[in-house]
Amino acid sequence: MTTLWHGRFAGGPAEELLAYTVSLPYDQRLAPDDLVGSRAHVKGLVRAGILDGDEAAAVFAALDQVGDELAAGTFTFVPSDEDIHTAVERRVTEIAGPPGAKLHTGRSRNDQVATGLRLYTRRMLGDVADRIIAFQEVILGSAEAAGDVYLPGYTHLQRAQPVLLSHHLLAHGWALSRDVDRLLATRARANVSPLGAGALAGSSLPLDPHGVAADLGFAAAFENSLDAVGDRDFVAEALFDLALLGVHLSRIGEEIVLWSSEEFGFVTLDDGYSTGSSMLPQKKNPDIAELARGRAGRLIGHLTGLMATLKGLPLAYNRDLQEDKEPLFDAFDQVLLALGALAGLVSTATPSVERMQAAADSPYLVATDLAEWLVERGMPFRDAHAVVGALVRDSIDRHVPLDELVAGHPDLGDDAVALLEPGVAVRRRRSPGGAGPDPVAIQLESFRERIEADRLRVEG
Ligand code: ARG
């Protein structure tokens, strides 16, 4: 078997070495990026006077053929193809002959893999941002459709105050906006070319890293060759962004699990987005929501795993860095699958308006409004809080409806009882960013604008 390093070695690689070090099964997905990087490198070699026009044409044609073979599934891998970079270069040399053997001039797999992985990451970060926005549009649609429907807002998972359903849905939407923001910031930092760093120290050949960086659409070229090949900050940042996105999707999942339970009964899931039980005929389970919750653990694991891999590495490239790919690829795969499944789940779910509003119509959820009503009539809030708290305690202890006690209280009376009418309290949440119809109408508009602006940022 011929390896890339056969000149220095008397014997071939051991079978166990190949089995343990091979990355081809998973890094094949970098093929398109490897080809793009290789084309830019060839152009750079022409500008440096290392390849002439005919040689470059032969290598370009071979790279095109390799791309076609890979796309068509006719590319034949051989046992010495330890990674996609090795495989592409081997095949280019087979096709193009001696000019193909010049492809790797001034280049190492260390800058090559860093280049391919940055191109891939840059693209995928945009794709994820795009899919988040598609999910945000689903959330926006549900929020618009929710109209004036309200439900209890919770703290400590105890009913606290009524909020509009649209307000609750948009709360998740804004968390996703921060995710989009983070992904785009990470994309900007990843947008630096490492090509031309060589194995670690640059080259004695007249290469121009800035030229190839420009050809690849990178915003800049590396400043330090050791950093260029040893840096995986962009992978760690991407994994953090995806893990936090996963945490947000997990929190959405957890609420769907709760809301679809018989105990809450706030939402009915569509059959197409629910599963049944193999044994219990009556069951309808929220498996998508549960997996969105469960896979967040896996995404967090990918982040912590890579951080542990990186923490002890001396400069510059170490083979440990090959461990960056599987977590990154899986994290991208998992969030894209989750976003698609959750978008379908949310867009097809039916809110149970009566259950939500009945749960929010408990007079105890209006306690704060009663206290604030007293505040508006001059009572210090701490005193008002005590007055209403005592009424609530009395109501619970003596099983007397709160409205009777409010009606009979000298500081409250019939005017205050009106606050206890269903739906009144939520309409009184008028402060900016609050949970009532007036601020939510404004919020819906700014969320819509935010999504539109983010779409342009993702494309730009
Ligand atoms: N497959 C390797 C990786 O992903 C490519 C770089 C190998 N470089 C080397 N010097 N062995 O990291």
Side-chain angles (χ1 to χ4, degrees):
M1 179 185 302
T2 313
T3 58
L4 293 176
W5 53 82
H6 61 90
R8 159 75 175 76
F9 283 63
E15 211 175 292
E16 296 89 336
L17 175 130
L18 287 175
Y20 192 53
T21 59
V22 68
S23 57
L24 182 65
Y26 51 84
D27 68 17
Q28 282 183 53
R29 75 164 80 191
L30 292 179
D33 303 292
D34 189 71
L35 293 171
V36 167
S38 290
R39 287 192 189 97
H41 184 59
V42 172
K43 283 196 213 167
L45 292 176
V46 172
R47 289 195 292 265
I50 294 160
L51 257 65
D52 66 29
D54 290 345
E55 289 171 322
V59 178
F60 283 133
L63 286 167
D64 288 347
Q65 186 179 328
V66 166
D68 292 344
E69 289 177 2
L70 284 165
T74 56
F75 189 101
T76 312
F77 290 101
V78 303
S80 62
D81 293 342
E82 75 168 60
D83 57 23
I84 188 64
H85 322 291
T86 316
V88 168
E89 190 195 333
R90 177 205 33 95
R91 185 74 186 123
V92 164
T93 310
E94 280 171 13
I95 298 167
K102 293 190 174 184
L103 170 59
H104 211 54
T105 313
R107 186 177 73 169
S108 158
R109 272 185 302 156
N110 299 350
D111 60 343
Q112 184 180 3
V113 71
T115 303
L117 196 61
R118 279 179 188 264
L119 291 170
Y120 167 84
T121 303
R122 182 175 78 173
R123 183 175 72 250
M124 292 300 292
L125 290 169
D127 285 358
V128 173
D130 199 63
R131 294 288 285 278
I132 293 174
I133 293 169
F135 183 35
Q136 287 178 302
E137 274 164 0
V138 165
I139 291 174
L140 176 62
S142 300
E144 285 166 339
D148 284 344
V149 173
Y150 56 91
L151 77 165
Y154 294 80
T155 63
H156 313 270
L157 201 54
Q158 308 286 323
R159 290 177 190 169
Q161 288 187 303
V163 298
L164 284 188
L165 174 58
S166 50
H167 190 61
H168 189 113
L169 292 168
L170 288 176
H172 290 299
W174 290 111
L176 294 171
S177 288
R178 293 191 295 276
D179 289 320
V180 170
D181 215 42
R182 258 186 296 274
L183 291 165
L184 297 182
T186 296
R187 184 173 73 172
R189 272 189 295 275
N191 200 16
V192 176
S193 175
L195 191 57
L200 76 164
S203 179
S204 66
L205 300 166
L207 300 179
D208 175 21
H210 297 281
V212 288
D215 283 344
L216 291 169
F218 281 115
F222 64 94
E223 298 279 355
N224 179 309
S225 61
L226 291 171
D227 184 39
V229 291
D231 167 31
R232 291 296 183 275
D233 288 3
F234 66 103
V235 180
E237 284 192 60
L239 287 176
F240 172 75
D241 298 348
L242 298 173
L244 187 52
L245 167 61
V247 166
H248 293 150
L249 299 181
S250 173
R251 293 181 74 172
I252 293 172
E254 165 64 2
E255 287 195 339
I256 293 171
V257 170
L258 284 175
W259 285 17
S260 63
S261 70
E262 248 177 275
E263 283 70 15
F264 273 79
F266 284 0
V267 70
T268 306
L269 304 182
D270 184 78
D271 284 0
Y273 291 91
S274 313
T275 54
S277 159
S278 60
M279 178 173 164
L280 313 173
Q282 85 282 12
K283 290 300 293 293
K284 187 166 160 187
N285 295 326
D287 288 28
I288 291 175
E290 292 168 272
L291 284 172
R293 194 176 58 188
R295 287 202 189 146
R298 182 159 147 187
L299 293 165
I300 295 165
H302 288 332
L303 170 65
T304 54
L306 182 78
M307 297 290 268
T309 298
L310 296 177
K311 72 174 274 296
L313 294 185
L315 291 175
Y317 179 83
N318 300 270
R319 191 63 180 265
D320 314 45
L321 291 176
Q322 181 169 290
E323 291 298 300
D324 57 2
K325 287 171 207 63
E326 284 173 291
L328 184 67
F329 296 164
D330 185 60
F332 279 129
D333 289 346
Q334 294 310 323
V335 299
L336 288 174
L337 287 168
L339 286 165
L342 282 172
L345 182 69
V346 172
S347 66
T348 56
T350 313
S352 306
V353 175
E354 276 171 28
R355 292 275 306 199
M356 287 182 173
Q357 299 197 159
D361 283 337
S362 157
Y364 300 128
L365 272 68
V366 185
T368 310
D369 296 73
L370 290 171
E372 287 172 359
W373 191 89
L374 290 170
V375 164
E376 281 176 324
R377 279 149 192 82
M379 191 182 287
F381 177 72
R382 200 39 66 207
D383 300 337
H385 186 286
V387 166
V388 178
L391 287 183
V392 168
R393 178 157 53 93
D394 202 19
S395 160
I396 293 169
D397 288 352
R398 296 197 294 120
H399 304 286
V400 182
L402 188 64
D403 56 352
E404 273 181 34
L405 298 178
V406 169
H409 193 279
D411 293 322
L412 290 158
D414 286 336
D415 284 357
V417 172
L419 297 177
L420 301 177
E421 290 295 315
V424 170
V426 76
R427 284 198 292 278
R428 290 167 53 86
R429 308 256 89 77
R430 292 201 189 88
S431 60
D438 297 347
V440 168
I442 294 166
Q443 189 189 158
L444 275 165
E445 192 46 41
S446 48
F447 189 66
R448 216 176 277 125
E449 284 167 12
R450 174 65 182 262
I451 290 178
E452 275 165 31
D454 279 348
R455 265 219 184 288
L456 297 176
R457 289 169 69 208
V458 171
E459 286 159 17

